[in-house]
């Protein structure tokens, strides 16, 4: 029964009502909470100062998060050499101890099934429509073709070509989280190119990386508070109140309330509800490759 439930699990999106029975909260429930090994408290005790920052992860509301925090932090002291009060760590940059010093760091996570749909829609706008002779994308950024999505996803997960990867290989999303949170090495920018996703997976099949991700939930993290894309504003509110509690700083909350009321979203990817794209087999494929992002 558990296996059957996992195979049917797909994704949670703001657009989806989960009426089809395909949406399960089976992804990693990190939630808006302080990690037990949070360094923010120790940094504050040592220095008496605590900045706050964002570790950006694509397609998890990172652009919206950074813009919102900029407007909420207008009265806060900026870190040295910084343009804004929030510290911003780009996705390709690893979250190293040096980048974390004296910073309450917030990052985001999203259901992998939903994440791939969003990435597909985003790539359809920026990747040449003739890519792979139109097998993946329709002209003009069309992205409602379920067959094209399936072709793209199987390719992006390294399952096509002369040397397809093992079903146990990590998926694109898992590798990106491994790079930035576990390996602490900056990513090679080439593999963030939409034309190179399959090679990105095929070049990261090491068993050591798989072993690292198998401990993802238990590995001490330098992220102090996590935000789920699916419960974005509730989680973010809890994170920011915790920052105020630890630091003694006072944020400007009016921009936050305005954004939540209006449902503001920056850099959105236009696509249909996640459950529209997935068959049980395709959902199972994601859950196999990105199994450590799920419970």
């Amino acid at each position: 029964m558990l296996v059957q439930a996992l195979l049917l699990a797909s994704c949670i999106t703001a657009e989806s009502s989960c009426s089809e029975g395909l949406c399960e909260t089976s992804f990693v429930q990190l939630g808006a909470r302080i990690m037990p090994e949070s360094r923010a408290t120790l940094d504050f005790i040592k220095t008496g100062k605590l900045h706050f920052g964002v570790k950006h992860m694509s397609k998890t509301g990172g652009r919206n998060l950074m813009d919102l925090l900029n407007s909420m932090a207008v009265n806060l002291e900026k870190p040295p050499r910084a343009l804004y009060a929030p510290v911003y760590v780009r996705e390709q940059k690893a979250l190293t101890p040096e980048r974390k010093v004296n910073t309450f760091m917030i990052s985001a996570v999203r259901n992998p099934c939903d994440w791939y749909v969003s990435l597909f829609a985003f790539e359809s706008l920026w990747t040449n429509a003739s890519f792979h002779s139109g097998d993946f994308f329709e002209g003009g950024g069309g992205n409602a073709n379920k067959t094209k999505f399936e072709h793209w996803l199987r390719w992006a997960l390294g399952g096509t070509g002369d040397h397809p990867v093992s079903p146990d290989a990590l998926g694109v999303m898992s590798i990106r989280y491994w790079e930035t949170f576990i390996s602490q090495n900056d990513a090679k920018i080439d593999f963030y190119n939409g034309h190179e996703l399959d090679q990105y997976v095929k070049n990261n099949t090491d068993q050591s990386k798989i072993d690292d991700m198998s401990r993802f939930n238990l590995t001490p993290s330098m992220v102090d508070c996590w935000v789920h894309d699916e419960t974005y504003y509730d989680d973010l509110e809890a994170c920011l109140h915790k920052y105020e509690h630890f630091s003694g700083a006072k944020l400007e909350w009016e921009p936050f309330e305005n954004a939540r009321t209006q449902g503001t979203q920056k850099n959105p990817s236009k696509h249909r509800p996640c459950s529209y794209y997935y068959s049980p087999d395709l959902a199972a494929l994601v859950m196999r490759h990105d199994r450590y992002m799920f419970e």
Side-chain angles (χ1 to χ4, degrees):
M1 291 298 293
L2 175 60
V3 173
Q4 183 180 12
L6 290 176
L7 290 177
L8 290 175
S10 180
C11 59
I12 290 180
T13 66
E15 305 96 331
S16 175
S17 64
C18 298
S19 60
E20 301 176 48
L22 290 177
C23 299
E24 299 289 344
T25 55
S26 54
F27 56 99
V28 175
Q29 292 289 350
L30 295 172
R33 60 183 176 87
I34 299 294
M35 302 299 287
E37 300 82 6
S38 173
R39 292 182 48 176
T41 309
L42 296 177
D43 286 339
F44 180 65
I45 292 172
K46 289 178 182 178
T47 67
K49 287 186 179 181
L50 187 63
H51 301 293
F52 74 107
V54 177
K55 178 62 183 76
H56 179 242
M57 299 302 293
S58 60
K59 314 318 300 173
T60 63
R63 282 281 301 277
N64 182 60
L65 180 57
M66 192 62 192
D67 289 348
L68 180 57
L69 294 188
N70 286 341
S71 62
M72 294 179 69
V74 291
N75 296 322
L76 298 188
E77 179 183 350
K78 297 177 184 177
R81 299 180 299 280
L83 295 177
Y84 302 102
V87 175
Y88 180 64
V89 181
R90 292 191 303 148
E91 182 170 17
Q92 296 91 341
K93 298 296 184 181
L95 187 55
T96 61
E98 293 76 18
R99 290 172 178 149
K100 174 66 175 65
V101 169
N102 297 346
T103 303
F104 181 91
M105 192 63 68
I106 298 171
S107 193
V109 68
R110 187 175 193 173
N111 183 300
C113 291
D114 191 22
W115 187 85
Y116 283 108
V117 170
S118 184
L119 184 64
F120 168 73
F122 183 78
E123 291 292 345
S124 74
L125 298 175
W126 295 100
T127 304
N128 192 304
S130 64
F131 185 38
H132 277 239
S133 302
D135 287 343
F136 299 156
F137 306 123
E138 297 174 347
N143 51 44
N145 187 310
K146 291 188 286 188
T147 301
K148 289 182 182 292
F149 171 74
E150 180 172 354
H151 289 171
W152 173 85
L153 182 58
R154 292 185 184 277
W155 165 82
L157 291 174
T160 62
D162 295 334
H163 302 287
V165 301
S166 161
D168 290 326
L170 297 177
V172 177
M173 184 181 188
S174 294
I175 297 169
R176 290 189 179 182
Y177 275 76
W178 174 85
E179 279 185 324
T180 194
F181 294 116
I182 297 177
S183 78
Q184 297 190 3
N185 293 315
D186 293 347
K188 294 181 179 179
I189 190 65
D190 289 350
F191 292 131
Y192 279 67
N193 183 329
H195 291 258
E196 303 286 347
L197 293 177
D198 64 328
Q199 292 303 314
Y200 183 60
V201 169
K202 291 178 179 181
N203 288 346
N204 285 282
T205 58
D206 318 41
Q207 185 61 43
S208 61
K209 296 174 184 177
I210 297 174
D211 292 343
D212 284 344
M213 280 303 295
S214 73
R215 297 184 291 271
F216 180 70
N217 281 347
L218 303 178
T219 302
S221 173
M222 285 188 293
V223 173
D224 300 299
C225 200
W226 289 88
V227 174
H228 277 116
D229 185 78
E230 293 76 14
T231 49
Y232 188 84
Y233 283 104
D234 289 344
D235 289 355
L236 180 56
E237 180 179 23
C239 287
L240 295 179
H241 279 308
K242 287 174 180 177
Y243 167 72
E244 287 186 323
H245 173 74
F246 279 122
S247 67
K250 296 299 180 184
L251 300 171
E252 294 290 331
W253 283 92
E254 183 177 355
F256 177 89
E257 295 301 338
N258 290 340
R260 177 154 61 180
T261 300
Q262 298 167 10
T264 302
Q265 184 179 9
K266 299 286 185 181
N267 202 29
S269 298
K270 295 181 179 180
H271 54 80
R272 295 202 181 184
C274 182
S275 57
Y276 166 84
Y277 294 90
Y278 282 95
S279 65
D281 286 346
L282 201 58
L285 180 69
V286 172
M287 295 190 71
R288 182 74 175 267
H289 282 290
D290 292 283
R291 56 199 175 278
Y292 301 122
M293 300 300 296
F294 291 85
E295 289 181 327

